Amino acid sequence: MPTNSIATMKIFSESLKLMGNNFTISVVDEEEAVAKKHIHTAIDEIRRIEQLFTTFKPDSQTNLINDHAGIQPIIVDQEVFELIERSIAISKITQGAFDISYGSIDKSLWNFDKTMTKLPSAEAARKMVHLINYQNIVLDAANRSVFLKEKGMRIGFGGIGKGYAAEMAKKLLIKNGVQSGIINASGDLTTWGNQPDGKPWTIGIADPDRPQAAFSYIEISNKAVATSGNYEKYILIDGKKYSHTIDPKTGLPISGIKSVTVISNNAELADAMATPIAVMGINAGLFLINQLPDLHCIIIDDHNKIYTSKNIHLK
C-alpha cells in the first residue's frame, strides 16, 4: 500500500448471518462506496458457496450425495469434488479425527441443551458412529462423482465450510484489487495486508473462562486463525464440563481441553484442523502440527495451562 495514501485509508465493515454463522467482512479503502461494493462481492461469493454445500436445501449437491448413499454415485461440480478430496486428505493425516461423514450422528442424542443430565452409554455411542468412516466416501475423478458406500451415511461441511468460504471470498477480493482486509466467520478469520496505519493486523486469543477477554495477542497479517473451544457450547454432568466436540471414533464428547487455536496461511486448513487437534489430545495434536509446514497452534487445557507448537510468539 503506498505510504502517501495511509492517512486517508479507513476500515469499512459489514456483519450478517451466512452459512448459519455470524460473518463480519472488513476491507480497507479510501471510499465507503467502493468498500461496500467489495464487501457485497464477498457476501455474494459466500452465499454461492453456501448454496452448494448446505444441508438445509433439499437440492444442494451435499444432500443429493446423502440421499443416494448406498444407492449410486452423484456427479458434482469440480469445486465440490475437490473440497471433498481435500477433506479426505485431512482425515488421513488426522487418523480420522476429522471426518466429513460425521453427518450421520443422531442430533437427538447430542443436542447439548441444559436438559442433558448424563452421557449416552458407550454402546449407544458406538452404534451412533458406525456410519462415520471417510474411507467409505468413494471418489471417481474421471466422472467427477461421489458415492457413499453405506446406506444412512451423510456428509456435512460444518468443520471446513466456513473456512473454505472465507478463503474463497478473500481470494476474490484480492483479485479485485482490495489490498487489505479481514473476513471473520464467527471467530475463524483470514486476513491480508495491513491496518490503515500500516501496522499488522493483531488478534487477541480468547481466555476460555472469560471469552470476551484476551490472555494474549498475536500478529496475524496474511494469516488465518481458527479456534475450537468448549466455552461456547458444552454440558455439565456431575460437575464435569464436556465439549460439544465429539470424537468420531467413540461418539463421546472430548474433555480435558478448553480450546485449540490453529494459525495457518489458509482459512480452510485452519478451520479443518482446530477440532481434530482437540480430539487427538495435547501430545498427539502438537506432534502432528509440528510436522506440518506453516501450521501452528495454541492449546489451553482444563487447568488453564497453555501449550504451543514450535515458533509461536505470544505477546
Side-chain angles (χ1 to χ4, degrees), residues 146-187:
V146 183
F147 177 54
L148 308 182
K149 275 188 186 177
E150 303 280 341
K151 278 199 170 179
M153 266 185 85
R154 292 179 63 79
I155 58 169
F157 296 91
I160 196 169
K162 65 181 192 287
Y164 173 68
E167 194 65 28
M168 291 292 282
K170 178 183 93 169
K171 281 182 180 166
L172 186 55
L173 292 184
I174 291 171
K175 185 179 162 193
N176 289 352
V178 179
Q179 293 182 2
S180 183
I182 297 182
I183 297 175
N184 184 340
S186 287

Side-chain angles (χ1 to χ4, degrees), residues 32-52:
E32 184 174 9
V34 174
K36 292 288 184 194
K37 188 179 170 195
H38 288 311
I39 287 168
H40 282 270
T41 297
I43 290 168
D44 288 345
E45 174 68 351
I46 294 164
R47 283 191 171 134
R48 180 190 71 78
I49 290 164
E50 181 174 16
Q51 292 305 305
L52 277 180

Side-chain angles (χ1 to χ4, degrees), residues 24-136:
T24 300
I25 298 155
S26 305
V27 300
V28 173
D29 208 288
E30 292 181 352
E31 295 176 43
E32 184 174 9
V34 174
K36 292 288 184 194
K37 188 179 170 195
H38 288 311
I39 287 168
H40 282 270
T41 297
I43 290 168
D44 288 345
E45 174 68 351
I46 294 164
R47 283 191 171 134
R48 180 190 71 78
I49 290 164
E50 181 174 16
Q51 292 305 305
L52 277 180
F53 294 104
T54 183
T55 52
F56 294 102
K57 187 170 153 253
D59 60 346
S60 74
Q61 293 194 19
T62 308
N63 275 336
L64 289 174
I65 294 166
N66 291 340
D67 290 346
H68 292 84
I71 302 167
Q72 69 179 66
I74 294 295
I75 295 168
V76 296
D77 289 2
Q78 187 67 29
E79 82 178 292
V80 174
F81 187 90
E82 288 175 359
L83 185 60
I84 295 171
E85 205 169 36
R86 292 195 299 276
S87 296
I88 291 170
I90 293 167
S91 293
K92 286 176 181 169
I93 64 169
T94 61
Q95 298 176 334
F98 175 87
D99 196 324
I100 58 168
S101 65
Y102 73 89
S104 54
I105 284 184
D106 183 354
K107 293 290 185 289
S108 66
L109 200 57
W110 286 118
N111 50 21
F112 282 91
D113 64 17
K114 302 305 173 195
T115 62
M116 214 172 163
T117 56
K118 62 177 185 177
L119 296 179
S121 69
E123 188 186 359
R126 267 198 306 276
K127 278 183 187 165
M128 179 182 73
V129 298
H130 81 281
L131 289 170
I132 300 176
N133 187 350
Y134 69 91
Q135 293 170 322
N136 286 333

